């Protein structure tokens, strides 16, 4: 590998040295269950979990053994030490479970035997050949367009098959595609191995989809090839495998991806940001059209959208030679798939819907907007002020207070403040401080002593902050954190302690998050993205969550969505994104009894 960024496993998969059993010698001969005996030969590879060796059969299989592959003279033997991190709680490696369903399906090697011998979990499987990474590496870091197009076609059909069994692979990359053994009938056949990160996207029994979620602190996969959704910790679904495949194909073709070379603690974030900022056009600048079309299609797929595999395959048809028998990679699986789909639909190809305007989400163009959130409420007095300079804050606030209004939200844009005041807060008194710090701890602690709690918060790009604290809230305790990246880990810890996020702000690229006990919520989730996460918000809305806090930096938008303890009579919530402060829109919303509940300014689209 040219740099260290190809394999960055989730924390779970990073076994400390020696913990993978490397200190325990491997057995010289292997015999598990009723398997024949194999003698250990050369090493084939080593991964994060296991080591893979050639096994030579040195005994005849028992007559009653009808295991497919029992007669193979050479097999691949995968060893995982019993203390490996890949082993699940009941002992056997998680990958075994996945192979129980997928062994031997199109493009997946057959597992002949599984069992335990001495300190190791052992899986005996079909022996395969070099990986696509090996092929690319041994061919001066290059691969022909025809070869990559054939790989595209066959890989899509393999993923289609795997997905049809309810699994997503979760770690699609050149190293995990293997060819058949050289010199055999299968040397041009493609296989996808390493099912250790495979997850269910649907329950094949009930047909029900796994629930959508986002856990921004969870990353599984390989940084270089991971989908943007995987970087952001979203539940894996079919689109993620296809996005990783798209990056795999472009890597094989161009020899490099634009996000290679980042290092350090922040690497995952920087790589993800670069992926978001790279348009399909620029990613595929030197590649034939179909590659760009494929990238464009896969990055626009929704969480539960059924990919049109046949259409994806047909994109590459024009590149590969017409005679399947002389192609550099077998494309049998794909031909079968297109045939089936064609039959079902009464024709070979799906219609092309490219002329339908599709929103392009990755264009590499930053844009900054106001995000405003409106809730249905009984008629009440609400007022807004925007472009308020520091010196004029006091005047607006005291006028509002005189009229019986308290501040319900604050925001900042270009070092000027926006202020929402209304009669619906339920507060009994309120204090605020404009401070040059983000945040001013001493002042906040003093107010906590006096039973004021933070109820609104904004930060300006110059580092100053406006903190509003109120009495008469239901909060029982509060805590906050200021951090250089979105502090999901901390939030997650606080959730476990009974706190919920009740206010959030940014100052430049820094975040401040306030959590409170007794916040009146029964559950809370986060949506964090490099653009406004519309899809996630809609999924959450459908499950009863409503946006209760918003904040955005120049890079990312974060939305906190909560389920209220007491359901409001009218659950209507609307959001707007506008480049100017939405003064006219607010008035239109008021006319429909929708009132500003949250507002922020920052990066929302790319
Ligand atoms: N059936 C096989 N035939 C030949 N070589 C194989 C076979 N299975 C695995 N290998 C080789 O062994 C390497 C490690 O295998 P695999 O990826 O399954 O292990 P892992 O420990 O799960 O790795 P990772 O760290 O990628 O998760 C592969 O990259 C490949 O080179």
């Amino acid at each position: 590998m040219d740099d260290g960024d190809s394999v960055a496993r989730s924390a779970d998969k990073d076994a400390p040295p020696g913990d993978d059993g490397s200190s325990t010698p491997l057995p010289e001969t292997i015999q598990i269950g009723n398997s024949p005996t194999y003698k250990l030969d050369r090493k084939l590879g080593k991964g994060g979990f296991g080591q893979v060796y050639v096994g030579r059969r040195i005994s005849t299989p028992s007559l009653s053994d009808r295991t497919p592959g029992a007669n193979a003279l050479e097999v691949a033997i995968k060893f995982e030490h019993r203390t490996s991190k890949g082993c699940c709680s009941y002992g056997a490696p998680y990958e075994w479970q996945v192979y129980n369903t997928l062994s031997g399906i199109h493009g997946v090697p057959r597992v002949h035997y599984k069992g335990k011998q001495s300190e190791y979990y052992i899986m005996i499987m079909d022996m395969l050949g070099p990986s696509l990474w090996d092929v690319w590496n041994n061919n001066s870091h290059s691969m022909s367009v025809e070869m990559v197009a054939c790989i595209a076609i066959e890989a899509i059909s393999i993923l289609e098959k795997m997905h049809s069994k309810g699994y997503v692979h979760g770690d699609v990359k050149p190293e995990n595609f293997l060819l058949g053994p050289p010199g055999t009938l299968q040397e041009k056949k493609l296989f996808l191995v390493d099912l250790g990160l495979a997850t269910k996207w649907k329950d094949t029994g009930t047909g029900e989809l796994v629930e959508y979620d986002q856990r921004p602190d969870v990353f599984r996969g390989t940084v270089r090839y991971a989908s943007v959704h995987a970087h952001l910790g979203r539940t894996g679904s079919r689109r993620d495998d296809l996005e990783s495949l798209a990056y795999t194909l472009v890597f094989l073709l161009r020899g490099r991806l634009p996000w290679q070379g980042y290092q350090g603690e922040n690497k995952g974030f920087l790589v993800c940001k670069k992926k978001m900022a790279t348009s399909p056009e620029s990613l595929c600048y030197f590649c034939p059209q179909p590659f760009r079309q494929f990238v464009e299609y896969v990055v626009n797929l929704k969480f539960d959208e059924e990919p049109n595999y046949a259409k994806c395959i047909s994109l590459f048809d024009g590149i590969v030679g017409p005679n399947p028998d002389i192609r550099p990679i077998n494309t049998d699986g794909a031909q079968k798939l297109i045939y089936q789909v064609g039959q079902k639909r009464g024709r070979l190809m799906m219609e092309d819907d490219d002329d339908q305007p599709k929103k392009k989400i990755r264009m590499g163009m930053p844009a900054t907007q106001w995000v405003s959130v409106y809730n249905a409420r009984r008629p009440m007095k609400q007022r807004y002020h925007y472009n308020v300079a520091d010196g004029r804050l006091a005047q607006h606030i005291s006028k509002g207070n005189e009229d019986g209004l308290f501040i319900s939200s604050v925001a900042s844009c270009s070092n000027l403040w926006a202020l929402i005041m209304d009669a619906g807060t339920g507060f009994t008194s309120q204090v605020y401080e404009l401070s040059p710090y983000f945040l001013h701890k001493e002042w906040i602690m003093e107010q906590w002593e006096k039973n004021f709690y933070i109820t609104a918060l904004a930060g300006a790009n110059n580092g100053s902050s406006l903190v509003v604290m109120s009495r008469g809230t239901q909060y029982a305790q509060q805590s906050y954190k200021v951090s250089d990246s979105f502090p999901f880990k901390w939030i997650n810890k606080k959730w476990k302690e009974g706190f919920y996020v009740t206010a959030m702000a940014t100052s430049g690229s820094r975040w401040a998050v306030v959590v409170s006990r007794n916040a009146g919520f029964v559950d809370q989730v986060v949506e964090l993205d490099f653009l406004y996460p519309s899809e996630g918000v809609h999924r959450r809305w459908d499950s009863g969550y409503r946006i209760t806090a918003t904040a955005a930096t120049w890079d990312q938008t974060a939305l906190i969505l909560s389920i209220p303890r007491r359901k409001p009579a009218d659950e209507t919530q609307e959001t707007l994104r506008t480049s100017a402060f939405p003064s006219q829109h607010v008035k239109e919303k008021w006319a429909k009894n929708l009132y500003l509940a949250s507002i922020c300014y920052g990066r929302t689209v790319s």
Side-chain angles (χ1 to χ4, degrees):
M1 294 266 99
D2 54 334
D3 58 24
D5 84 345
S6 60
V7 183
R9 287 299 199 176
S10 63
D12 291 339
K13 237 192 161 182
D14 269 325
D19 205 28
D20 62 347
S22 48
S23 49
T24 322
L26 293 168
E28 280 174 18
T29 56
I30 314 294
Q31 199 279 316
I32 45 177
N34 63 343
S35 84
T37 306
Y38 301 91
K39 191 170 162 6
L40 216 58
D41 204 308
R42 66 180 195 283
K43 190 170 185 161
L44 284 166
K46 183 176 179 344
F49 287 170
Q51 324 176 45
V52 184
Y53 280 79
V54 175
R56 261 177 223 294
R57 181 161 63 78
I58 53 169
S59 73
T60 34
S62 75
L63 278 175
S64 60
D65 187 358
R66 297 191 187 279
T67 310
N71 280 316
L73 286 172
E74 276 195 340
V75 291
I77 307 183
K78 185 165 178 176
F79 294 90
E80 252 180 79
H81 194 259
R82 61 177 175 78
T83 58
S84 150
K85 293 287 189 321
C87 295
C88 46
S89 45
Y90 68 83
Y94 167 77
E95 192 179 20
W96 285 19
Q97 254 182 52
V98 184
Y99 268 110
N100 282 343
T101 308
L102 300 184
S103 166
I105 67 163
H106 169 61
V108 177
R110 286 173 312 183
V111 170
H112 313 172
Y113 306 95
K114 300 197 280 302
K116 216 174 156 193
Q117 185 174 324
S118 78
E119 300 275 279
Y120 289 95
Y121 287 104
I122 296 170
M123 190 162 74
I124 296 175
M125 62 200 294
D126 288 341
M127 161 89 174
L128 300 174
S131 74
L132 292 184
W133 194 85
D134 298 328
V135 175
W136 173 86
N137 197 37
N138 295 334
N139 191 40
S140 327
H141 291 186
S142 70
M143 213 176 247
S144 73
V145 169
E146 195 194 6
M147 174 90 167
V148 181
C150 286
I151 291 167
I153 290 176
E154 195 59 5
I156 295 165
S157 79
I158 293 173
L159 289 174
E160 191 274 342
K161 195 76 205 166
M162 200 173 272
H163 294 171
S164 74
K165 301 279 176 196
Y167 278 100
V168 289
H169 181 276
D171 199 16
V172 169
K173 57 179 175 181
E175 296 89 323
N176 282 340
F177 282 109
L178 305 190
L179 294 172
T184 69
L185 284 174
Q186 298 207 308
E187 72 176 342
K188 291 190 335 181
K189 191 168 157 48
L190 195 62
F191 294 87
L192 184 52
V193 300
D194 189 4
L195 304 181
L197 289 181
T199 52
K200 284 262 174 163
W201 66 271
K202 78 165 176 187
D203 184 318
T204 27
T206 64
E208 226 165 273
L209 251 62
V210 301
E211 206 182 324
Y212 167 84
D213 197 9
Q214 184 180 10
R215 298 281 317 262
D217 63 334
V218 174
F219 175 73
R220 288 158 59 93
T222 303
V223 172
R224 189 184 291 172
Y225 303 98
S227 72
V228 166
H229 298 295
H231 278 285
L232 291 167
R234 297 209 168 95
T235 311
S237 72
R238 294 170 287 184
R239 63 181 178 184
D240 300 297
D241 280 347
L242 291 176
E243 186 172 331
S244 296
L245 175 63
Y247 298 150
T248 298
L249 299 173
V250 174
F251 175 85
L252 293 173
L253 207 53
R254 289 188 53 180
R256 197 169 170 80
L257 289 163
W259 41 85
Q260 274 176 252
Y262 290 106
Q263 288 303 338
E265 216 183 291
N266 228 1
K267 186 167 110 180
F269 174 84
L270 294 171
V271 167
C272 180
K273 186 171 147 179
K274 182 72 179 171
K275 283 178 186 168
M276 273 316 278
T278 306
S279 65
E281 291 77 25
S282 69
L283 178 64
C284 304
Y285 195 62
F286 294 108
C287 312
Q289 281 281 65
F291 291 92
R292 197 212 72 224
Q293 291 169 315
F294 183 57
V295 172
E296 211 150 77
Y297 177 73
V298 300
V299 300
N300 281 295
L301 283 168
K302 299 271 175 275
F303 173 71
D304 56 2
E305 189 172 343
E306 157 121 35
N308 189 336
Y309 304 94
K311 185 181 154 185
C312 290
I313 288 172
S314 70
L315 287 175
F316 297 96
D317 270 352
I319 305 181
V320 297
N323 183 355
D325 299 335
I326 54 166
R327 290 180 185 166
I329 300 280
N330 281 355
T331 52
D332 309 0
Q335 266 124 29
K336 256 184 246 154
L337 175 67
I338 293 210
Y339 181 68
Q340 281 164 7
V341 174
Q343 291 261 310
K344 233 193 282 171
R345 307 240 156 181
R347 58 190 175 142
L348 208 65
M349 270 359 142
M350 320 283 284
E351 74 255 47
D352 205 333
D353 55 13
D354 272 353
D355 38 346
Q356 274 178 23
K358 226 183 193 161
K359 214 164 92 189
K360 297 209 173 106
I361 55 159
R362 296 179 196 178
M363 310 203 292
M365 287 261 290
T368 320
Q369 287 182 317
W370 288 94
V371 176
S372 49
V373 181
Y374 306 83
N375 284 348
R377 297 190 69 132
R378 266 194 240 124
M380 68 164 182
K381 201 185 252 183
Q382 185 170 67
R383 224 177 250 173
Y384 61 81
H385 307 276
Y386 62 99
N387 288 349
V388 180
D390 293 0
R392 291 181 64 86
L393 262 180
Q395 185 184 331
H396 289 305
I397 296 173
S398 56
K399 174 78 175 62
N401 291 159
E402 278 166 32
D403 297 339
L405 309 182
F406 286 117
I407 300 167
S408 56
S409 340
V410 286
S412 165
C413 166
S414 318
N415 299 325
L416 295 169
W417 307 101
L419 203 59
I420 315 299
M421 299 192 73
D422 58 55
T425 60
F427 304 146
T428 51
S429 65
Q430 196 165 62
V431 289
Y432 68 92
E433 190 198 41
L434 178 61
S435 118
Y437 309 107
F438 188 73
L439 305 174
H440 182 195
K441 190 172 171 195
E442 287 72 26
W443 182 79
I444 292 170
M445 306 242 313
E446 259 171 55
Q447 307 310 316
W448 274 342
E449 289 292 315
K450 296 186 234 164
N451 281 327
F452 287 95
Y453 288 102
I454 300 169
T455 52
L457 183 66
N461 291 333
N462 62 18
S464 67
S465 64
L466 176 60
V467 179
V468 181
M469 297 182 70
S470 314
R471 271 196 193 135
T473 68
Q474 53 190 345
Y475 305 151
Q477 198 186 343
Q478 223 167 34
S479 153
Y480 74 82
K481 184 176 176 73
V482 173
S483 108
D484 288 331
S485 57
F486 186 77
F488 184 79
K489 270 199 173 72
W490 178 80
I491 293 174
N492 198 32
K493 185 176 125 237
K494 287 295 172 184
W495 280 341
K496 290 188 183 129
E497 296 168 16
F499 289 87
Y500 288 105
V501 177
T502 51
M504 193 163 64
T506 61
S507 166
S509 59
R510 297 169 78 207
W511 297 85
V513 178
V514 179
V515 294
S516 313
R517 268 196 220 271
N518 200 26
F521 302 135
V522 290
D523 196 18
Q524 194 164 68
V525 292
V526 168
E527 282 292 326
L528 176 70
D529 208 324
F530 289 81
L531 41 77
Y532 182 82
S534 322
E535 196 203 351
V537 169
H538 284 280
R539 293 196 168 277
R540 307 300 200 173
W541 271 350
D542 292 344
S543 328
Y545 292 89
R546 292 294 176 268
I547 299 170
T548 51
T550 55
T553 63
W554 291 109
D555 288 326
Q556 291 186 299
T557 303
L559 302 175
I560 302 287
L561 295 103
S562 317
I563 296 187
R565 190 181 296 149
R566 265 191 296 277
K567 238 182 169 188
D570 185 346
E571 283 192 278
T572 309
Q573 181 169 73
E574 293 181 9
T575 65
L576 274 183
R577 279 170 285 147
T578 52
S579 47
F581 188 87
S583 36
Q584 196 49 44
H585 302 88
V586 176
K587 289 179 189 143
E588 286 161 19
K589 301 283 178 194
W590 284 345
K592 296 192 287 176
N593 279 339
L594 288 166
Y595 293 89
L596 260 172
S598 183
I599 186 157
C600 73
Y601 182 80
R603 162 83 166 261
T604 58
V605 283
S606 58

